[in-house]
Amino acid sequence: MPEATSSLTPTYAAYDSKIEGNVIFTRVDAAMNWMRKNSLWPMPMGLACCAIELMATASSRFDISRFGMEVMRFSPRQSDVMIVAGTVTYKMALAVKRIWDQMPEPKWCIAMGACASSGGMYRSYAVLQGIDRLIPVDVYVSGCPPRPEALIDGLMKVQKKIEAEHAVLDQKRAAFEGAV
Amino acid sequence: MTAEKDAARLKDAHPEGVLDVLEFRSETTVVVTRGALHKVLQACRRDLAYDMLLDISSIDHFGDDPRFEVVYELATLNDSKHLRVKCKVAEDEDVPTATDIWAGADWHEREVWDMMGIPFSGHPDLRRILMWEGYPYFPLRKDFPLAGRPTDMPDVASTGVAPLEGGPFVTSSGESEIARREPRAHVVQ
């Protein structure tokens, strides 16, 4: 017997798998973002000491496999997020830029550690003062080196950023505005 | 035979080549002329059994003449003796290579060439090792600023200038007074 509800109490749409089956209604954007953020494959640009902490994050104690990120693809064509871990020298900066260009969209970048964020303690003739002088960075993780928990926090911030994207909406808008 | 005795033997064998034998806290240094450098290094390896070349480095005495000084750190294989050989070099002079005595001198001499601009004659492959081919400056010279100078070699690399260059946190290593060398140095009573 259904309960009496006043017109002021909200009714929630219930999802009953016995009735509706295994079907979820959502937006394409939300579904895509959920899939993307839970399978962010890193491109580990491990250049210096931060790479050791990156390896520690990937190993069993701190385990980014919980987030689906243990797949460290060293091929840029197969990765989503580039983690620039370490000092970027001017000599190496060219290689980093080339690999960034080879990554397909959608891609994100994490500047891990002080050196990748701003040149760190190396304010000299040979060190690029931050990888954001070359490629667009989404999240900066501070530390020298940052603890694995800090890197995981940075990766979770990238996940939040991905959650807020609206790629299909933008495509629709661009299609309509292009037509006009 | 201690390193001091080795240095005395070198001075006896090359009286005009060895300018001075210095000693500081049980570290022995032999100062030689550029002409006698190769012979002295050969004697160190062959006669005195300094089989290990630990390092070749260089000093820029900006304002002095001769401007540079090349320093060879030698040691025996069982690490019982260390000897230092120093040689002053002027700006346009080159130094005979030590690669025929120690094969490991190869990269050390490339680093000295890259950072200080001292050429080594007879070196099998004298090119830059830390900076890239075509980089126009020698970074460890005293007249090169720590923060760098902008360069551009498209497709190879480009450098910028580090921020706060010339600001209050930069030291100028060429000055003689410590107050101007280290801008935040203060007198301790």
Side-chain angles (χ1 to χ4, degrees):
Chain A
M1 196 137 169
E3 290 162 25
T5 54
S6 77
S7 58
L8 289 173
T9 57
T11 51
Y12 296 100
Y15 174 68
D16 191 341
S17 66
K18 292 197 193 74
I19 300 173
E20 287 161 84
N22 290 323
V23 175
I24 306 175
F25 288 88
T26 181
R27 286 182 168 175
V28 176
D29 272 335
M32 258 171 43
N33 291 342
W34 178 82
M35 288 180 226
R36 280 177 179 167
K37 81 174 205 252
N38 285 326
S39 68
L40 268 178
W41 290 2
M43 165 79 216
M45 185 57 62
L47 301 169
C49 355
C50 275
I52 310 288
E53 291 294 325
L54 179 62
M55 293 176 221
T57 316
S59 59
S60 53
R61 177 175 279 212
F62 300 101
D63 204 16
I64 50 174
S65 175
R66 301 177 272 165
F67 304 92
M69 301 178 192
E70 84 279 18
V71 186
M72 297 264 178
R73 283 287 188 248
F74 288 90
S75 166
R77 308 278 187 193
Q78 301 169 16
S79 51
D80 301 310
V81 58
M82 173 187 272
I83 304 180
V84 184
T87 318
V88 190
T89 51
Y90 284 115
K91 205 170 179 179
M92 188 64 191
L94 178 73
V96 176
K97 180 80 171 79
R98 276 223 185 105
I99 293 191
W100 173 257
D101 289 339
Q102 288 174 5
M103 284 171 67
E105 290 282 347
K107 56 187 176 185
W108 297 270
C109 175
I110 294 182
M112 178 184 176
C115 289
S117 307
S118 69
M121 74 175 119
Y122 303 109
R123 194 167 54 78
S124 77
Y125 57 88
V127 173
L128 181 66
Q129 302 290 298
I131 192 65
D132 55 356
R133 291 189 180 220
L134 266 190
I135 62 183
V137 172
D138 294 289
V139 171
Y140 299 84
V141 184
S142 63
C144 187
R147 273 203 61 89
E149 290 99 326
L151 179 62
I152 292 178
D153 185 48
L155 284 162
M156 287 170 69
K157 283 204 163 65
V158 176
Q159 285 185 325
K160 280 224 167 42
K161 198 166 184 180
I162 297 174
E163 267 174 47
E165 291 194 353
H166 28 73
V168 173
L169 207 59
D170 291 339
Q171 260 186 348
K172 271 193 195 174
R173 189 174 301 139
F176 277 115
E177 281 167 11
V180 171
Chain B
M1 284 267 279
T2 64
E4 284 179 322
K5 296 210 181 76
D6 288 337
R9 269 180 66 175
L10 283 171
K11 192 159 172 72
D12 292 336
H14 305 89
E16 341 73 36
V18 174
L19 295 171
D20 206 356
V21 173
L22 308 166
E23 201 258 319
F24 175 75
R25 296 186 69 168
S26 75
E27 292 180 8
T28 314
T29 306
V30 176
V31 185
V32 299
T33 61
R34 201 169 59 98
L37 175 66
H38 196 257
K39 282 202 288 285
V40 168
L41 289 175
Q42 237 172 16
C44 286
R45 176 118 206 223
R46 304 230 175 104
D47 309 330
L48 302 172
Y50 283 96
D51 285 323
M52 277 220 63
L53 173 71
L54 295 179
D55 195 15
I56 305 178
S57 84
S58 57
I59 308 171
D60 181 4
H61 301 289
F62 187 55
D64 284 359
D65 183 50
R67 180 176 176 181
F68 302 117
E69 195 166 9
V70 186
V71 182
Y72 296 78
E73 305 273 353
L74 311 175
T76 52
L77 262 181
N78 58 7
D79 204 31
S80 56
K81 294 188 293 184
H82 284 234
L83 183 69
R84 190 175 298 132
V85 179
K86 283 184 162 188
C87 169
K88 281 202 191 271
V89 180
E91 254 190 88
D92 42 0
E93 289 174 349
D94 57 13
V95 180
T97 186
T99 46
D100 51 340
I101 312 172
W102 295 277
D106 190 341
W107 279 17
H108 290 302
E109 289 177 355
R110 274 179 67 187
E111 190 192 352
V112 171
W113 160 245
D114 186 8
M115 293 286 114
M116 207 60 98
I118 301 173
F120 288 83
S121 58
H123 193 275
D125 184 20
L126 192 68
R127 57 194 162 93
R128 289 185 177 268
I129 190 169
L130 296 172
M131 306 308 281
W132 49 92
E133 278 299 302
Y135 183 70
Y137 306 112
F138 297 112
L140 283 186
R141 291 191 170 183
K142 290 264 163 75
D143 48 355
F144 185 83
L146 174 63
R149 290 213 177 101
T151 64
D152 193 29
M153 281 180 72
D155 283 349
V156 180
S158 65
T159 56
V161 177
L164 293 182
E165 196 251 330
F169 305 111
V170 179
T171 59
S172 41
S173 29
E175 301 275 341
S176 50
E177 296 172 16
I178 194 171
R180 268 188 271 160
R181 257 202 322 255
E182 310 266 339
R184 310 190 105 200
H186 56 276
V187 175
V188 177
Q189 231 63 25

